[in-house]
Amino acid sequence: MPDEPRQRVERVAGARRARLTRVEGTLADADAEATLRDADAGARPAAGEKGPNDERLRRDRPPHW
């Protein structure tokens, strides 16, 4: 177990949160976000396809707004 790479906490001057170092074999933040964006793109219907409730769902606001 001691041979496994570990993340280290880095303090960032002027920031409220610390940052973790990257570990080999993991994605960088930008790569992970790009992967998530690609997955979301497949879930959306085509521009011409609309369901009966789409407009209402887009106008509705949650009660805490």
Side-chain angles (χ1 to χ4, degrees):
M1 269 245 231
D3 296 334
E4 294 179 18
R6 294 187 50 113
Q7 289 180 309
R8 300 206 189 283
V9 176
E10 296 178 345
R11 291 189 177 183
V12 181
R16 293 179 68 176
R17 296 178 187 244
R19 182 173 46 209
L20 293 173
T21 59
R22 187 168 177 263
V23 175
E24 280 301 316
T26 61
L27 295 175
D29 286 340
D31 296 335
E33 287 178 17
T35 303
L36 290 174
R37 262 187 257 116
D38 291 342
D40 288 344
R44 295 183 182 145
E49 297 177 25
K50 289 190 176 182
N53 297 328
D54 284 352
E55 285 304 315
R56 180 177 173 201
L57 289 172
R58 285 191 169 90
R59 283 186 313 220
D60 281 349
R61 297 278 185 228
H64 63 274
W65 271 39

